[in-house]
Amino acid sequence: RKEVEQDPGPFNVPEGATVAFNCTYSNSASQSFFWYRQDCRKEPKLLMSVYSSGNEDGRFTAQLNRASQYISLLIRDSKLSDSATYLCVVNRRSGGYQKVTFGTGTKLQVIP
Amino acid sequence: DGGITQSPKYLFRKEGQNVTLSCEQNLNHDAMYWYRQDPGQGLRLIYYSQIVNDFQKGDIAEGYSVSREKKESFPLTVTSAQKNPTAFYLCASSRVEGMAEKLFFGSGTQLSVL
């Protein structure tokens, strides 16, 4: 089983729709969680950190469920510019350093 | 502006040739990383360095080598032993915030085999 799993998609949604992605992680010792956004042939960019209490940044809401070991990303009022691949990232301590594991990403295509 | 600079953007390698990808950062970060990304795949860790003059193998280090002689620089050499080098290579540096390691990436190098 992969340490971090995501549905690869693609998720094709109309402009203005609400879309949600989940990401599951297998190691209960995981400590911190992030969502990154990656455009085609570009570098990943940090979108937001994910906290147990949930956090919101404009149209984006991230949530962590430690009991079920998943994190989620909700995008409201989708824009064409939201089309990208969204990477789930999980950190945990391993052998004296922070091990960073990326999911394979979920592709979102927002359609006019 | 502070950031991470990778060069070149595109690189072509002939069979049996070693090539070196450059990564420079002026963010004063201690830790630096090299990842490889294949189409439709996630990022896989090649090497990482937590401090100058120290580096560790990641999950797919075979066929690659690195050095970390300066804090700002972490070049990656793709050797002839790497039989399938065509991929998108990403360099990153990180800073610790609380318990989290936040990564910041360069713009990547696309390596192709001629």
Side-chain angles (χ1 to χ4, degrees):
Chain A
R1 184 185 173 188
K2 288 183 182 177
E3 187 164 345
V4 178
E5 295 203 66
Q6 294 183 253
D7 182 340
F11 284 54
N12 297 312
V13 302
E15 255 186 304
T18 295
V19 61
F21 312 133
N22 277 350
C23 165
T24 59
Y25 60 95
S26 60
N27 196 315
S28 58
S30 299
Q31 295 170 302
S32 53
F33 309 87
F34 303 92
W35 284 102
Y36 279 72
R37 170 195 168 126
Q38 186 176 26
D39 293 287
C40 191
R41 288 296 184 213
K42 301 279 189 182
E43 73 274 23
K45 292 187 178 176
L46 179 62
L47 181 65
M48 56 199 307
S49 305
V50 189
Y51 305 113
S52 296
S53 54
N55 49 307
E56 191 172 307
D57 183 2
R59 298 181 292 108
F60 297 81
T61 300
Q63 193 79 45
L64 165 64
N65 185 316
R66 285 194 184 273
S68 301
Q69 295 185 197
Y70 75 85
I71 68 172
S72 63
L73 178 68
L74 180 80
I75 305 174
R76 288 180 297 279
D77 187 24
S78 299
K79 311 289 183 194
L80 296 176
S81 57
D82 293 334
S83 298
T85 296
Y86 291 84
L87 303 172
C88 168
V89 179
V90 173
N91 282 189
R92 64 177 171 87
R93 237 23 235 172
S94 175
Y97 84 104
Q98 279 284 341
K99 182 174 168 64
V100 179
T101 304
F102 285 80
T104 54
T106 297
K107 187 170 182 178
L108 172 66
Q109 185 69 48
V110 180
I111 304 162
Chain B
D1 283 342
I4 303 170
T5 302
Q6 283 188 247
S7 62
K9 192 170 176 65
Y10 300 96
L11 185 58
F12 297 91
R13 193 192 91 166
K14 293 180 182 177
E15 292 281 347
Q17 189 181 42
N18 293 356
V19 291
T20 297
L21 284 60
S22 169
C23 179
E24 304 279 329
Q25 55 105 354
N26 60 5
L27 299 167
N28 201 33
H29 290 167
D30 285 315
M32 296 186 74
Y33 308 78
W34 273 103
Y35 288 89
R36 168 181 172 141
Q37 188 175 35
D38 294 276
Q41 307 262 338
L43 276 67
R44 292 186 290 166
L45 182 64
I46 304 172
Y47 268 97
Y48 66 97
S49 168
Q50 291 185 280
I51 200 165
V52 175
N53 291 323
D54 183 63
F55 50 83
Q56 306 293 331
K57 292 182 180 180
D59 301 317
I60 54 164
E62 187 173 346
Y64 300 98
S65 66
V66 293
S67 62
R68 187 86 187 276
E69 296 174 3
K70 297 187 300 181
K71 188 175 188 177
E72 301 78 18
S73 179
F74 191 40
L76 173 74
T77 297
V78 184
T79 74
S80 56
Q82 172 48 246
K83 297 306 179 190
N84 185 23
T86 296
F88 188 50
Y89 289 85
L90 286 158
C91 177
S93 67
S94 69
R95 68 166 185 253
V96 176
E97 292 186 9
M99 290 188 298
E101 196 92 18
K102 283 191 176 176
L103 266 64
F104 300 88
F105 287 87
S107 56
T109 294
Q110 175 64 49
L111 175 63
S112 303
V113 176
L114 292 174

